[in-house]
Amino acid sequence: MSQEIELKFLVHPDVTDALRAALNALPGDHTTPRKLLNIYYETPDMLLRRHDMGLRIRGVDGCYEMTMKTAGRTVGGLHQRPEYNVALTEPRLALSRFPQEMWPEGLDAQTLEPQLSPLFHTDFEREKWVVAYGKSRIEIALDMGEIRGGESREPLSELELELLDGRVEDILALAREHLLRDGLRQGGLSKAARGYNLARGNAPGECKALSVLELAPKATLEQGLSGALAQALAHWQYHEELLARGVPGAQKQVAHAVALARHILALFGVVVPRKASARLREQLSQFSDALDAETDTDALAWRVVCGSAKLTLIDWLVTCGWQPFLSEAARSKMQGSFKRFADTHLSRVAAELKAAFRQPLAGRDIDQLPRLERALHCAYVLAGFYPHDARQPWIEGWQALARAIDGNLVYQIEPLRKQALSVAPFWRHSGQ
Ligand SMILES: O=P(O)(O)OP(=O)(O)OP(=O)(O)O
């Protein structure tokens, strides 16, 4: 078993040549393009997909390899997955050759193999560079070709940076310093995931609302910070794919994700010094301004201002960029209970809301929206320790008011304001 750590970008056709020139300028070994033919297999009831596994046979220059990628983790466009590779003499499945430990409960080679048939193909030319960067060796692949599933096909044009050995931060730095440009955007989906979508008819996903962060009861403050930022990033990445496909409402959700990330940094600012996140906050705010100003929103996902802010956030998250800035006292707070922090801060959020919405809103209701959205974002991060039914009336009350203000539903604002204020706190607080 090996662990694949890979950063993926989608490449706009307009920038392929410039990108290739940038890659050729890096010191390292270059391999001319080779044709890779890949067949992905699945059962009629999508058993592998349901286990978050992907099975393929790859043919290159008359040699064959069978690969299973198993469930992993994706942070933004950074994928980390265990994978199992077996060399084959012919393009025929031989699942029994995978190690026994690979199979999750309920799946085994003997019963699975007869149920499998090809579902989609990825055929592409791969041009490769291997570079030494920082303390790492990184393989960069430029893949140009297509994905075919059923009657459908779509072009494939990707840049992948894979860590051969070394540190994740070197991949991120290499991408940021030498490759990132207008026309590259991070890819949140593996080729297999795109193939499955294509085989299912390729309808774009639907926009989703931000949800409450759920963490283990014993989570530390640091786990709270990481979990919250990972959630913001996942929301951003998911809706960026939709934005690039022109799905209405996606831009608003990307804006929510970026605002959430900024609000998380402010919320944890009582422990993490501001200078630790100065660069990240600056980039998030530049992207947020670009989101507000841009009319061609589909193109925005391809702009460097987007990629750069997201890469900085991924970097900060995966390298725990706050740690070098923590005092001893802050370090020990970070290992303290997130639940206690959540209770204290829910009380603060509620007090702010009470102060801001104590009086009927006169005229410029919209001015209160950013404050209300910030409070809601904090509640999404902090409320997950309480059962859904306990927290929802409070959250939904303020959500309804936010919607009314946003939609300028003037006759609904006053009753909703009163309603939101009237809901009792659901968290443990000093007044209870
Ligand atoms: O060559 P790999 O293993 O990186 O696989 P791929 O065909 O590029 O697909 P993925 O999107 O899973 O990296």
Side-chain angles (χ1 to χ4, degrees), residues 4 6 8 40 56 58 69 81 83 124 126 143 158 160 162 190-191:
E4 179 186 60
E6 178 178 277
K8 186 193 279 284
Y40 286 78
R56 70 163 185 235
R58 168 170 288 175
K69 294 194 186 185
R81 274 174 306 204
E83 67 174 42
F124 53 91
R126 170 166 286 177
D143 295 339
E158 293 184 348
E160 291 183 351
E162 184 173 344
S190 65
K191 291 186 184 72

Side-chain angles (χ1 to χ4, degrees), residues 133-187:
Y133 193 82
K135 295 186 172 149
S136 306
R137 262 186 347 119
I138 297 168
E139 181 181 284
I140 307 172
L142 185 60
D143 295 339
M144 312 291 292
E146 65 173 13
I147 306 180
R148 289 182 288 122
E151 298 298 299
S152 320
R153 52 185 65 207
E154 70 171 27
L156 187 158
S157 170
E158 293 184 348
L159 181 76
E160 291 183 351
L161 284 76
E162 184 173 344
L163 194 62
L164 297 181
D165 54 68
R167 313 174 310 177
V168 176
E169 52 263 51
D170 287 331
I171 286 201
L172 296 162
L174 171 64
R176 201 170 44 230
E177 282 157 35
H178 295 278
L179 305 174
L180 201 60
R181 63 199 60 225
D182 287 343
L184 278 199
R185 90 178 163 80
Q186 270 168 273

